[in-house]
RNA sequence: GAGCCCAUAGCUCAGUUGGCAGAGCAUCUGACUUUUAAUCAGAGGGUCGUUGGUUCGAUCCCAACUGGGCUCACCA
């Protein structure tokens, strides 16, 4: 008995003692159910009470006791397993006085039990197992939250996700849907001949994105390593190696703030296709996400936070300048005027408005006035070159890159571009990033000599894309916070 | 990192203009053999997040701290 236990827990501990002295193990592991609750329901579907009585279906099921209604000489248990709920009925006449009394003395809501017996329908039509045999499989010491209001304290829901999952069916459904989404994306790409790969999470150079990395240390090698901020540079090495279509679904780590859109570790899918451009990536994305929504909802439309999101292709395509002009109310031609950009950026409070390049000013203005207002899905294109050090330069306009961001409900969901495979241009871009880093930009890219060496071997022309899985799942589960779609979101140490 | 808000029984929540801490569910005892948040009768259960301060007296007022939420900044 633990001193910190409350009265409810002490009460249950006494029951454990009673079980043990009666020769019963409170935590046995020698009984597996032959049926799931949903399987039992399916077997009895359409049968009326007389048919069930005439040709009994005998099932044995196990699950957590979510409800317990005692009536003296009979009792109902509500059992919950991975497939759903099913009611069990225990009758003293059928089970024998001693066994019945002992079981009902020891069992509590929250325990896991096994029940074996024929199915029947109660007067109110509820499918029920009439227990001929039963066993306690797991004794719970802690009580579950209240049956009607459940667990709503947000901190407890995140810290003790196991309790959240036990009592909040909607939470279980979110994570089932998350698994379905990841599985859909995986098979969508696999059937298009993409190879799934795994590349390093611990990298000597944290490349592929602009973000502050986590640092760790390898003792045997006496070497600092970075948790990856993106898999991009490794996946493109694989294009060099001859895997012309690759993808990876895995965690990235970024040492930045935490809020409803950001968790330090988050899941990305990145995919790369040789002989494709960012234009084909738009088509692929439209097809992938609209068919995903159709798979989930039966149509490429769904509700997010009270508003309809429509994934029916084709999606709107806007340049950064067009988006800034439309949502900021500027004449588009003025957005190519450096003085106007500088003045506007300054007025909007953009930092470095006096020194930033015209391209970066335009993006900053777009992000300030337009991005949050775009309902989408919208592909935003024509990003300036200095914000995209790994993207292919546009053939006609060397100041922009062949890149898009996919914006849905004001959030960046995907980022894609035609890949820069010119090793000379790439070295120049890395040099520029190094100069930014020397000026104090902690998020600028590092030089990656091995990546340049790979490019020097020849990377096929290609396009690649990354989609933030957590944000996609938020959209498709109508979740307002990223913590609602990550099983164990990052929190401070418990106080 | 900044601002605002929150922390009371296992859970969901009241409450005290500063004077013995409340409800429902859960638990325990009793009644009850087809219930559905079962019902009925009774009982027990609290370091009011932590530490200080003000006060005759603090769960309540003040401060700091811890944890959480939202907004902003950074970012995807």
């Amino acid at each position: 008995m633990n001193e910190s236990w409350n009265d409810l827990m002490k009460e249950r501990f006494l029951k454990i003692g009673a079980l043990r002295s009666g020769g019963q193990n409170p935590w046995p592991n020698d009984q597996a159910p032959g049926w799931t609750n949903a399987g039992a329901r399916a077997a009895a579907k359409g049968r009326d009470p007389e048919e069930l009585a005439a040709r009994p279906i005998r099932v044995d099921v196990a699950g957590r006791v979510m409800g317990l209604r005692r009536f003296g000489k009979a009792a109902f248990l509500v059992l919950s397993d991975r497939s759903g709920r099913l009611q069990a009925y225990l009758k003293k006449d059928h089970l024998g006085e001693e066994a019945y009394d002992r079981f009902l003395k020891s069992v509590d809501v929250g325990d896991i039990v096994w029940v074996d017996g024929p199915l029947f329908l109660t007067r109110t039509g509820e499918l029920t197992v009439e227990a001929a045999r039963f066993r306690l499989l797991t004794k719970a010491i802690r009580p579950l939250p209240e049956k009607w209001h459940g667990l709503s304290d947000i901190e407890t829901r995140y810290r003790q996700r196991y309790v959240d999952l036990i009592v909040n069916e909607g939470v279980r459904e979110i994570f089932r849907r998350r698994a379905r989404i990841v599985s859909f994306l995986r098979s969508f790409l696999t059937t298009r001949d993409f190879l799934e790969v795994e590349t390093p999470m611990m990298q000597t150079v944290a490349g592929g994105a602009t973000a502050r990395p986590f640092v760790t240390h390898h003792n045997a090698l006496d070497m600092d390593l970075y948790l990856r901020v993106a898999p991009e540079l490794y996946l493109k090495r694989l294009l060099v190696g001859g895997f012309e279509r690759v993808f990876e679904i895995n965690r990235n780590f970024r040492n930045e703030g935490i809020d409803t859109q950001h968790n330090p570790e988050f899941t990305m899918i990145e995919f790369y296709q040789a002989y494709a451009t960012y234009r084909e990536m738009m088509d692929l994305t439209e097809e992938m996400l609209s068919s995903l929504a159709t798979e989930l909802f039966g149509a490429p439309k769904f509700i997010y936070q009270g508003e309809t999101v429509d994934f029916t292709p084709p999606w709107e395509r806007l340049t950064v300048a067009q988006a800034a002009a439309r949502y900021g109310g500027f004449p588009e031609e003025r957005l190519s005027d450096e003085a106007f950009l500088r003045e506007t950026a300054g007025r909007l409070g953009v930092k470095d408005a006096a020194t930033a390049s015209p391209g970066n000013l335009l993006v900053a203005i777009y992000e300030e006035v337009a991005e949050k207002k775009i309902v989408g899905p919208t592909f935003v294109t024509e990003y300036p070159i200095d914000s995209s050090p790994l993207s292919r330069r546009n053939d006609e306009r060397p100041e922009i890159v062949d890149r898009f961001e996919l914006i849905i409900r004001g959030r960046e969901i995907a980022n894609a571009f035609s890949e820069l495979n010119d090793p000379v241009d790439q070295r120049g871009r890395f040099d520029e990033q190094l100069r930014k880093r020397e000026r104090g930009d902690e998020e600028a890219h590092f030089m990656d000599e091995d990546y340049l060496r790979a490019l020097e071997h020849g990377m096929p022309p290609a396009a690649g894309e990354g989609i933030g899985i957590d944000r996609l799942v938020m959209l498709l589960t109508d979740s307002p916070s990223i913590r609602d779609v990550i099983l164990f979101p990052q929190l401070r140490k418990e106080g």
Side-chain angles (χ1 to χ4, degrees):
Chain A
M1 188 97 62
N2 187 312
E3 287 305 311
S4 70
W5 287 358
N6 59 48
D7 289 350
L8 282 73
M9 295 173 72
K10 286 173 179 162
E11 203 66 56
R12 289 176 176 218
F13 192 77
L14 293 176
K15 294 177 181 176
I16 287 166
L19 283 166
R20 284 233 155 93
S21 60
Q24 279 190 76
N25 183 348
W27 295 284
N29 187 3
D30 57 2
Q31 186 89 61
W35 295 67
T36 63
N37 289 339
R41 278 189 192 287
K45 195 172 169 63
R47 305 273 188 103
D48 61 34
E50 292 71 32
E51 287 171 323
L52 274 175
R55 289 186 295 131
I57 303 169
R58 182 156 181 153
V59 299
D60 70 311
V61 295
R64 196 179 290 275
V65 177
M66 298 304 293
L68 179 52
R69 295 184 281 276
R70 293 173 226 246
F71 290 83
K73 297 183 182 65
F76 291 93
L77 306 181
V78 178
L79 300 187
S80 169
D81 72 6
R82 66 184 183 280
S83 72
R85 293 187 173 197
L86 189 65
Q87 182 173 261
Y89 183 52
L90 276 63
K91 230 186 325 190
K92 196 174 224 174
D93 305 358
H94 288 199
L95 294 166
E97 182 156 348
E98 198 202 324
Y100 176 89
D101 286 344
R102 201 174 47 199
F103 185 69
L104 283 190
K105 275 261 182 232
S106 62
V107 72
D108 287 291
V109 170
D111 292 350
I112 296 169
V113 304
W114 172 85
V115 174
D116 173 38
L119 292 168
F120 75 104
L121 285 161
T122 64
R123 280 204 284 256
T124 53
E126 173 106 18
L127 187 69
T128 304
V129 188
E130 154 102 61
R133 296 189 296 162
F134 52 83
R135 278 185 76 191
L136 178 73
L137 296 189
T138 301
K139 186 67 199 164
I141 293 172
R142 292 181 181 271
L144 286 180
E146 198 238 343
K147 63 189 169 193
W148 190 239
H149 299 93
L151 176 66
S152 58
D153 182 80
I154 289 176
E155 183 175 357
T156 311
R157 287 189 45 225
Y158 295 154
R159 284 197 197 281
Q160 302 178 39
R161 183 69 90 180
Y162 35 89
V163 179
D164 192 26
L165 289 166
I166 289 170
V167 299
N168 292 324
E169 169 57 29
V171 174
R172 279 211 295 269
E173 186 50 35
I174 284 174
F175 290 102
R176 282 192 208 105
R177 188 177 292 173
R178 182 179 173 125
R180 214 168 144 198
I181 289 165
V182 170
S183 163
F184 179 93
L185 296 176
R186 178 171 275 127
S187 79
F188 183 93
L189 289 175
T190 303
T191 58
R192 281 159 185 77
D193 207 20
F194 283 78
L195 181 73
E196 181 169 11
V197 296
E198 292 172 89
T199 64
M201 312 273 262
M202 301 168 79
Q203 305 177 347
T204 50
V205 180
T210 53
R212 296 225 292 269
F214 287 94
V215 190
T216 185
H217 188 79
H218 192 285
N219 289 337
L221 298 176
D222 189 22
M223 177 173 83
D224 281 342
L225 289 167
Y226 300 96
L227 299 188
R228 74 177 188 195
V229 294
E232 173 157 351
L233 298 182
Y234 283 94
L235 291 169
K236 290 199 283 198
R237 283 173 171 92
L238 297 177
L239 290 176
V240 173
F243 290 138
E244 295 171 338
R245 296 182 179 200
V246 292
F247 75 98
E248 176 165 11
I249 302 173
N250 224 321
R251 228 68 66 78
N252 291 343
F253 306 86
R254 298 189 184 176
N255 206 340
E256 313 274 2
I258 297 176
D259 59 30
T260 51
Q261 310 284 316
H262 300 87
N263 195 63
E265 52 180 306
F266 63 101
T267 303
M268 284 273 280
I269 179 169
E270 286 204 9
F271 47 95
Y272 291 82
Q273 179 178 347
Y275 316 113
T277 71
Y278 77 117
R279 295 262 159 204
E280 278 84 64
M281 289 290 113
M282 291 188 196
D283 299 339
L284 185 73
T285 305
E286 282 177 345
E287 191 190 345
M288 181 159 70
L289 296 189
S290 62
S291 58
L292 169 59
T294 302
E295 160 95 2
L296 295 176
F297 306 113
K301 290 185 188 178
F302 55 95
I303 304 287
Y304 182 73
Q305 301 295 292
E307 285 176 42
T308 299
V309 179
D310 189 347
F311 276 4
T312 307
W315 297 350
E316 183 180 43
R317 300 176 186 201
L318 287 178
T319 68
V320 171
Q322 284 169 343
R326 180 192 294 183
Y327 293 98
F330 311 118
E332 194 184 330
E333 59 277 8
R334 297 216 64 187
L335 293 171
S336 50
D337 172 4
E338 178 169 347
F340 177 78
L341 289 175
R342 220 167 278 292
E343 187 264 322
T344 304
R347 192 160 43 78
L348 292 169
V350 172
K351 66 174 185 183
D352 306 328
T355 54
S357 68
N360 280 344
L361 288 174
L362 178 59
V363 170
I365 291 167
Y366 152 78
E367 286 176 351
E368 204 65 39
V369 302
E371 193 176 73
K372 282 191 176 61
K373 294 184 189 164
I374 296 174
V375 174
T378 297
F379 293 113
V380 178
T381 60
E382 296 193 5
Y383 282 80
I385 192 149
D386 32 356
S387 67
S388 313
L390 302 167
S391 307
R392 179 186 175 85
R393 202 181 287 268
N394 183 270
D395 288 337
E396 276 77 46
R397 295 173 55 198
E399 77 281 8
I400 62 168
V401 290
D402 290 337
R403 170 182 171 196
F404 72 77
E405 282 194 1
L406 171 62
I407 308 297
I408 303 171
R409 288 295 305 255
R411 291 179 194 148
E412 184 193 334
I413 299 297
N415 180 24
F417 38 85
S418 300
E419 301 301 336
L420 173 58
N421 65 343
D422 172 346
V424 179
D425 193 353
Q426 184 66 77
R427 181 175 291 278
R429 307 269 196 102
F430 276 141
D431 284 339
E432 175 56 34
Q433 290 293 312
L434 285 185
R435 282 193 289 278
K436 277 192 175 179
R437 181 161 285 277
E438 277 157 19
R439 290 198 298 268
D441 183 350
E442 282 188 71
E443 291 173 359
H445 290 232
F446 291 94
M447 174 65 72
D448 189 334
E449 286 291 350
D450 177 70
Y451 178 66
L452 289 169
R453 181 165 60 190
L455 290 189
E456 286 160 10
H457 277 285
M459 183 174 87
E465 177 167 341
I467 301 177
I469 295 289
D470 311 280
R471 289 182 177 181
L472 182 64
V473 174
M474 284 169 68
L475 277 174
L476 296 171
T477 57
D478 198 15
S479 299
S481 169
I482 199 168
R483 297 180 199 102
D484 295 325
V485 301
I486 292 175
L487 280 167
F488 300 99
Q490 193 63 53
L491 298 177
R492 284 188 161 81
K493 256 193 290 194
E494 206 168 346

